[in-house]
Amino acid sequence: MIAQCKQYLAHKLQAAGINAIYQTAEDSQKHHALPYALVSASMDLLSRQERLEYSPQRVAMEDDLVNGVRRVRWRTHKRHLQLRVAIVHRTEAEAEGVLTTFLASLDRRFLDVSGNAVLINAETASREDDGSLLRNQAGAEAIVFFEGGVYRDEELPLFNVPGTMVLENEVTEEV
């Protein structure tokens, strides 16, 4: 899920006008042409990893009458991921504009490779300004939360009748 979420954020940043996107802090420390962005795990020590929560729930059910099977999809765990998106630009106004465009382009959810929904929510945004003579740049960052799941599919027989079942025509009686 981590790779898919980073790829989703990179796609949205490119749509907002940022072409140089880095995924490690070491890459972002080198000299780069502005603007650029860093997509990484949050700086908070507790949220650097994906968090799993046991939460069994039936999320989908489908009856296949042709094959006599009921397909049930169960969510066994919730997956929580928190990523930090840092945008570096020349001025604070430009960084703020790109951040606003980026946040406006975020969807409520996207589908992972298995077709399961991953919810998206951006909750925290902050601004940084580096007005030194050597590095005239400004930054804006947002923390984006993702919530997905671990799913298990199960097939159950729709009819559990021993032997064969014979269907007869309907009998109507006229009086």
Side-chain angles (χ1 to χ4, degrees), residues 118-139:
V118 177
L119 302 177
I120 304 166
N121 191 14
E123 291 185 1
T124 307
S126 63
R127 313 299 179 269
E128 295 179 8
D129 190 15
D130 184 7
S132 68
L133 294 175
L134 298 176
R135 297 173 61 178
N136 190 11
Q137 62 188 23

Side-chain angles (χ1 to χ4, degrees), residues 29-123:
Q29 296 298 327
K30 299 174 185 173
H31 177 70
H32 300 291
L34 297 177
Y36 67 90
L38 170 67
V39 176
S40 65
S42 177
M43 299 309 262
D44 182 15
L45 187 60
L46 296 176
S47 62
R48 286 186 184 209
Q49 300 175 2
E50 184 176 8
R51 188 171 56 90
L52 296 174
E53 172 187 347
Y54 182 70
S55 174
Q57 180 180 2
R58 184 179 69 199
V59 293
M61 183 173 58
E62 174 189 39
D63 290 337
D64 184 2
L65 298 177
V66 174
N67 297 324
V69 174
R70 172 174 282 174
R71 292 182 186 91
V72 180
R73 175 161 285 182
W74 296 91
R75 181 185 66 213
T76 59
H77 292 81
K78 284 185 180 179
R79 300 170 82 175
H80 302 279
L81 177 64
Q82 178 176 328
L83 293 176
R84 176 178 160 255
V85 177
I87 299 168
V88 181
H89 221 300
R90 291 173 191 85
T91 66
E92 188 174 345
E94 290 173 327
E96 174 73 24
V98 171
L99 180 66
T100 303
T101 304
F102 167 72
L103 291 174
S105 71
L106 290 178
D107 301 314
R108 178 68 183 121
R109 66 182 184 153
F110 73 93
L111 299 179
D112 65 4
V113 294
S114 300
N116 300 310
V118 177
L119 302 177
I120 304 166
N121 191 14
E123 291 185 1

Side-chain angles (χ1 to χ4, degrees), residues 1-10 39 81 83 110 118 146:
M1 184 171 111
I2 295 172
Q4 295 171 7
C5 293
K6 284 185 175 182
Q7 181 181 8
Y8 173 82
L9 291 177
V39 176
L81 177 64
L83 293 176
F110 73 93
V118 177
F146 294 93

